[in-house]
Amino acid sequence: HDSEEDMFGDYDSFYGNDSLLSQVDDIEHKHLLDKNTDIKAADGVILESLQSVIQQKNQDNFSNSENMVVLKADEEDAFHMNENDVVDSNQEPTESVLDDLPSSQLLYFEKMDKLSSGSRTSLASERRNKCMNSSSDKIRSPSSLCPDAEHRNRPTDFSSDSKCDLFKTESLKDHLKSAMTVNAKAQTVQVSKTKQLKEAVLSEEIFVARKTIETSSVDIGPFYGLPSKVKDLFKQFRGIETLYEWQHDCLMLESLQQRKNLIYSLPTSGGKTLVAEIIILQELLCRQKDVLMILPYVAIVQEKVRGLSSFGIELGFLVEEYAGSKGRFPPIKRRIKKSLYIATIEKGHALVNSLIETDRIDDLGLVVVDELHMLGEGSRGATLEITLAKILYTSKNTQIIGMSATLNNVGDLQKFLQAEYYTNDFRPVELKEYVKIRDTIYAVDSKAENGFTFSRLLNFKYSSNLEKADPDHIIALVTEVIPKYSCLIFCPTKKNCENVASMVCKYLKKEFRTHREKEKQDLIENLKNIGNGSVCPVLKQTIPFGIAYHHSGLTNDERKSIEEAYSTGVLCLLACTATLAAGVNLPARRVILRAPYVANDFLKKNQYKQMIGRAGRAGIDSAGESILIVQEKDKHLVQDLVSSPLENCYSNLLLELTKGMQSLLLSLVGLKVAVTHEEVDNFMSGTLLGVQQQLLSKEKSLSEVIKDGLENLIEKGLLKGRMSEKDHNSKCTLTITPLGRATYKGSIDLAYCNLLHRELKKGLEGLILESNLHLLYLATPYDMTSNCSPDWMIYLRQFNQLSAAEQKVADIVGVPESFITKKASGQAIRKNVDSAVVNRLYLSFVLYTLLKETDIWSVSEKFNMSRGYVQNLLNSAASFASCVLHFCEELEEFWVYKALLTELTKRLTYCVKAELIPLMEVAGVLEARAKQLYNVGYKTLAHLANANPETLVKMIGHLSRRQAKQIVSSAKMLLSEKAEALQEEVEELLKVPPDIP
């Protein structure tokens, strides 16, 4: 066009006289006829008229599902129309032009309104400010969003000089024409209007929910204060359409509305986790705070990371895994997206330490603890108590939610966590408890005199041979439910699991083999691939009958395959150890307890409750049943077991001295949380031990125990300072030594910190780097040496296969060749050699062979160990190597170890060929799956993140649609995290120091 000023000429619109320009022209003429009329008044009327036009536009937008053309401003603000949105129209002439009012025109009126009336805000401005406040982002200047924004916005630029002559110099119509000309020329991006409206609704709901939580204790959000999209996602990903009544009641508790700490307790399978997940999403989306979720085991952490990554992708938060050797300390501080940290107990503690140290503990809005009863379980319980006590003491704004199926002395836990308590005995499926003595089954009945009432006699014809093989009638109990329904048999030991699985399949009818025969054959093939051609002979025998065992002797890959096959009904019976009850959620129609023992210890009530809690699958079974097999001699013990209350939960800080009390005291001083005896006393009164001190510390007062602990740390060279003999509450300030700092930051057990320091120092004198054997020795966990019994012939054979330089490693660490030779030949040994060092070197040989061969099966055969034990050693070594790395980072003298241990930790974490590592970084992708993905062309994280789940299902065997979606979501999440981390680093580097203009 020749004329930049008026590309429309005298013809205003393609829509005739009803166009926006003609309406604006009419309004302008009408209100400017009277020259003496106050400009402000006229301006107000124009604005009011236009506001009604805009309101009409907004209403119409929500009823229209045609495509609309939009220029997106920025990822976070994409839900809202802002200064730089450019809208154009391809609608039919019959539709109103008011549907497509360009936002640059809204901007014009808004600016004019600001000039003419300081007290009024236009509708467009109000709406935009609302949206901007909701995301707490600064409004970006137009020039930052579009390269040519300066040129575009020239027509609407009003300086104070031009303000008075506004109407004299140029008509309103001309201004609008000018703005529309810019819009007509602007490059536009096609975006589905339906999608945009959905995003706008989601954004608006998040905004409303945030406002609700900030201003009121009453929930008015569409889904417990969350966007309705969250409800849709629960339906899409989990198949959950409605909540149980107790879940609704719990979420509506006054204490939760007021952000008080909460403990809630329900039977296993009651749906506790869903409540926690909704509270987590409220914190991430509405309060815009980070969340820490603490789970008991690595496998459960990985399962939860997989399950919640898809929510993170859809709702715009990050899911970060803190388990094994994974996790960054301190975590990256995100400017925009919030993080959900899913951690094991140990990693959760290290994460909290790093947040306290960097003054970021208040960024943590919520901490959720699953299996809260673990507070009473050994060193892990002590670590959990320390973590929660530190959060309570250092942050008044962090809410704590604890949940468990097995809690008794809740009063103590409430005092410790300053929490409210909610409980309910709801189970989605009724549980019927039975006990079997000989061939009689009794129902557990608390009202009966001896706790049992007669139920029925077993009706199953046993031959004399079968009676000998199966005196406990397991086959009779099992065949009542399988193969139509599923069944779990809990056995006292790993060997017993395998024996039971073998025995049952020997006596089952041949018809059992035909049930889902092809899928069972596929499972065996899959296990063969996992084992590089080897399959456990027991599984090869039992799987055709739909039976398998499940215990820690399996590798991670095998365990996962068996769990998936059981979940989909390919396997109908699992013989398993107690770890399955506390671990993965695999429910069954019937649960059989082979004996009231775990290993050699009589069953605890908590364990019993967890095992029988697996009976009954919500939505599938009308009832679940548990049967405990009892010998006559144990009858009285079992009567006590079923009638007794749950065990109490007691603090382990005193029992676990080095991992408990001493570890806590060291980190309190190191983090400067408490640096005098008096401050430490004050902190300790807020721990579970502080609540239970009368019960647990009878010989000495808690203050004396603390004083002894601090003196011990000073003696070990971990703390500096002096404890006054006369006055326990001395104000003497304690400081941490470099060794002390390295110990708590590396999460090193205080029992081994001096030994580790000595060994690393000795390594500096002559570290043998011809291979990684010497380094592996230093990264072999100390706590695995006590239950290791070397096979001396294997020890000698492995030693003889080493090069001369590698054999020197044995000599340096203190295991001479003569010692191994004499042991292998059964000769007497006069020289005293430290057995812990001997065992540790043996385990180093296992790891060394494993890193060379990357095949757990062949290594377990070479060393005559179960493959599960070898896998566990590998996982523990990866975790310990990461701890030693953090230890070395704090001590300048060990700078050389940093690079070496970084690489070693990575190799131990994945223990696969280098090309598979990027794929195995994705939560839930283990070696077998990584190989499958790599072989069909998915070779990088980006390949996986951009994969189509349907294509994955077609190309990869034994992969369900749900798993494919989870893998893609997890890969997207990891990629997103890495991109964010790089972005943060770039911005950090580009920061201008304050003294530079």
Side-chain angles (χ1 to χ4, degrees), residues 462-473:
Y462 265 65
S463 66
S464 56
N465 278 349
L466 186 50
E467 191 69 51
K468 278 180 199 161
D470 181 24
D472 292 325
H473 310 108

Side-chain angles (χ1 to χ4, degrees), residues 19-33:
S19 76
L20 175 69
L21 284 183
S22 61
Q23 284 187 43
V24 169
D25 212 13
D26 289 346
I27 293 166
E28 187 181 16
H29 275 92
K30 184 180 170 187
H31 294 290
L32 292 177
L33 285 174

Side-chain angles (χ1 to χ4, degrees), residues 53-68 70 81 87 91 95-101 106 127 193-194 196-198 200-201:
V53 170
I54 297 163
Q55 278 174 330
Q56 179 62 38
K57 166 193 179 296
N58 288 338
Q59 284 166 15
D60 290 352
N61 268 353
F62 275 83
S63 63
N64 203 318
S65 61
E66 294 292 315
N67 278 353
M68 166 163 80
V70 173
M81 292 175 64
V87 183
Q91 292 172 344
E95 288 191 348
S96 166
V97 67
L98 307 184
D99 277 356
D100 292 281
L101 178 68
L106 300 189
R127 197 163 163 187
K193 191 171 187 177
T194 311
Q196 208 195 23
L197 292 179
K198 277 183 183 171
V201 170

Side-chain angles (χ1 to χ4, degrees), residues 216-227:
S216 156
S217 62
V218 183
D219 168 40
I220 57 166
F223 183 65
Y224 301 100
L226 287 162

Side-chain angles (χ1 to χ4, degrees), residues 4-41:
E4 275 270 312
E5 297 302 313
D6 190 357
M7 76 180 272
F8 295 93
D10 290 324
Y11 189 59
D12 283 342
S13 166
F14 304 106
Y15 301 89
N17 294 329
D18 289 331
S19 76
L20 175 69
L21 284 183
S22 61
Q23 284 187 43
V24 169
D25 212 13
D26 289 346
I27 293 166
E28 187 181 16
H29 275 92
K30 184 180 170 187
H31 294 290
L32 292 177
L33 285 174
D34 183 1
K35 297 286 181 191
N36 300 322
T37 303
D38 186 342
I39 286 176
K40 283 186 183 177

Side-chain angles (χ1 to χ4, degrees), residues 166-354:
L166 177 67
F167 289 101
K168 293 179 190 170
T169 55
E170 194 176 2
S171 78
L172 184 58
K173 177 177 165 185
D174 290 338
H175 271 288
L176 289 180
K177 276 188 182 179
S178 177
M180 285 168 81
T181 304
V182 174
N183 285 345
K185 290 180 175 182
Q187 263 195 317
T188 55
V189 182
Q190 289 280 339
V191 175
S192 154
K193 191 171 187 177
T194 311
K195 186 183 175 198
Q196 208 195 23
L197 292 179
K198 277 183 183 171
E199 288 179 334
V201 170
L202 171 63
S203 179
E204 184 64 23
E205 286 181 354
I206 287 179
F207 165 69
V208 170
R210 277 189 208 145
K211 278 289 168 211
T212 302
I213 283 166
E214 283 164 19
T215 59
S216 156
S217 62
V218 183
D219 168 40
I220 57 166
F223 183 65
Y224 301 100
L226 287 162
S228 48
K229 180 173 182 180
V230 174
K231 188 179 183 182
D232 298 339
L233 292 176
F234 275 115
K235 185 178 175 183
Q236 184 188 332
F237 297 143
R238 304 277 177 80
I240 296 168
E241 293 193 41
T242 52
L243 270 65
Y244 297 130
E245 192 180 336
W246 83 263
Q247 290 172 325
H248 172 77
D249 293 346
C250 188
L251 286 165
M252 298 306 289
L253 286 173
E254 191 68 26
S255 52
L256 271 187
Q257 310 290 336
Q258 293 169 8
R259 295 201 80 242
K260 289 183 179 169
N261 295 346
L262 177 72
I263 297 168
Y264 64 99
S265 174
L266 274 101
T268 303
S269 309
K272 294 183 295 295
T273 311
L274 179 63
V275 170
E277 287 174 351
I278 290 171
I279 297 168
I280 286 169
L281 292 175
Q282 287 172 345
E283 197 67 32
L284 290 162
L285 300 179
C286 305
R287 294 193 183 89
Q288 289 284 291
K289 290 278 194 175
D290 296 329
V291 177
L292 168 61
M293 187 179 201
I294 297 176
L295 301 169
Y297 304 109
V298 174
I300 303 176
V301 167
Q302 290 171 341
E303 191 182 333
K304 191 55 74 181
V305 168
R306 284 199 304 277
L308 288 175
S309 285
S310 37
F311 283 88
I313 296 293
E314 292 288 335
L315 297 168
F317 61 86
L318 296 169
V319 179
E320 301 187 38
E321 180 184 339
Y322 279 75
S325 61
K326 289 185 179 177
R328 190 189 288 251
F329 303 103
I332 293 171
K333 191 172 172 64
R334 317 280 182 186
R335 287 176 310 106
I336 299 159
K337 289 186 177 178
K338 295 297 150 194
S339 288
L340 166 57
Y341 310 114
I342 303 181
T344 55
I345 291 169
E346 294 74 17
K347 288 288 174 182
H349 179 222
L351 179 66
V352 166
N353 279 348
S354 71

